[in-house]
Amino acid sequence: MIIDCHGHYTTAPKQLAAWREDQIAAKGQRSAMARPDGPLITDDEIRETLLGAQIPVQRERGIDLTIFSPRAAAMGQHVGDEAMSMQWSRICNDLIGRVATLFPQDYAPVCQLPQSPGCPPAHVIPELRRCVEEMGFVGCNLNPDPAGGYWTDPPMTDEWWFPVYEVLEELDVPAMIHVSGSCNPNFQYSGAHYINGDTSVFMQILDSDLFDRFPRLRLIIPHGGGAVPFHWGRYRGLAIDRNRREPAEMMGDNLFFDTCVYHQPGIDLMTGVVPVRNVLFASETFGAVRSVDPETGVPFDHTRRYIDNSPHLDAADRQAIYAGNTLRVFPRLAARLAEQDRIPA
């Protein structure tokens, strides 16, 4: 079985983006909006957007299931206030819930959280509980920088975040650490802000005792861990200099990278230095890169090809990356698949 742990609804019906534009223009004032309770989207429109785009590619590449969340760049927690973020998050999460209901064999749902700069992370807990306990979501996306490139909130190892971690442990769900769009012109969102976020959070955790405090917390840093694998020696050295655990030991059963790395040498490097048990298969299709590599004739985001061709991975390693590790990290997904009689051998 092959599970893609990192998918976004990037082909959502156009009514969703139009509603968001209306909300922003109205500054969240429901009385000034054409449809204050959300966009009108039919089940057939959802089917059309997926069967005409993402699902055929997923099936063509042999991916059995994608862990699916709202479009990351559109989470936009830096836009408006907390009330706007709450309404937008609920609408996006409800849409993802509908996707998972319509296509239970293809998608498992993950939620965005109604964060807002300067607002205590504890305020997102009701929406997290609603999605997990009432709607069957298997995880969440947690934005380390709701300010959209200005990093005005405390580091993720600060007590500011601890109420969310406590609930993640209680619910037994992981969080993918994923920034959203950038409003800082110094950082293009997908090529700079995303990688900055990934790398910065890794260093925050390396220089902390977070997992001693929360031993059952599971976090996923996407995009191959940002710059971390390429600078693995730097982080090992920093850990030793600062009397911290080395990266592989620190990651343990708590921290994981995905395979959204869009070339063979990058995957070979990551899977060569990062413990295989800490690597989860992902492609983020369709996501940051949609073009075809002119050198190979293959789409950059066809990441399964890189795993299959990585010379130092054996069959057991590949199966761990493709499904085994993900089922450990997402126990509610494992239970969901068991209900469908789809747990891999």
Side-chain angles (χ1 to χ4, degrees), residues 16 19 36-39 86-95:
L16 182 67
W19 186 91
D37 294 328
M86 172 61 74
Q87 188 181 24
W88 174 235
S89 295
R90 287 181 67 94
I91 286 169
C92 290
N93 292 335
D94 287 347
L95 184 60

Side-chain angles (χ1 to χ4, degrees), residues 34-100:
R35 296 189 58 85
D37 294 328
L40 178 61
I41 299 173
T42 68
D43 287 351
D44 283 343
E45 287 171 324
I46 294 173
R47 292 188 184 96
E48 181 181 357
T49 60
L50 291 168
L51 289 172
Q54 291 180 258
I55 287 179
V57 172
Q58 179 175 317
R59 292 175 179 172
E60 176 186 335
R61 296 179 184 177
I63 298 170
D64 297 287
L65 180 138
T66 295
I67 298 174
F68 209 52
S69 65
R71 182 179 172 224
M75 292 190 298
Q77 287 99 342
H78 58 280
V79 176
D81 58 15
E82 189 175 33
M84 287 177 62
S85 184
M86 172 61 74
Q87 188 181 24
W88 174 235
S89 295
R90 287 181 67 94
I91 286 169
C92 290
N93 292 335
D94 287 347
L95 184 60
I96 293 297
R98 290 173 65 189
V99 167

Side-chain angles (χ1 to χ4, degrees), residues 1 3 64-65 104-105 327 332-345:
M1 186 174 203
I3 302 170
D64 297 287
L65 180 138
Q105 299 293 311
L327 293 174
R332 287 180 181 262
L333 173 62
R336 185 184 183 93
L337 293 176
E339 292 175 358
Q340 299 174 354
D341 293 324
R342 296 177 69 197
I343 285 290

Side-chain angles (χ1 to χ4, degrees), residues 10 61 188-191 194 223 260-263 283-293 298-303 306:
T10 56
R61 296 179 184 177
Q188 190 272 348
Y189 77 99
S190 60
Y194 283 12
H223 318 117
C260 289
V261 177
Y262 295 150
H263 66 149
S283 69
E284 204 176 358
T285 304
F286 304 111
V289 177
R290 302 192 184 196
S291 56
V292 171
D293 186 343
V298 176
F300 283 101
D301 63 6
H302 190 350
T303 54
Y306 310 137

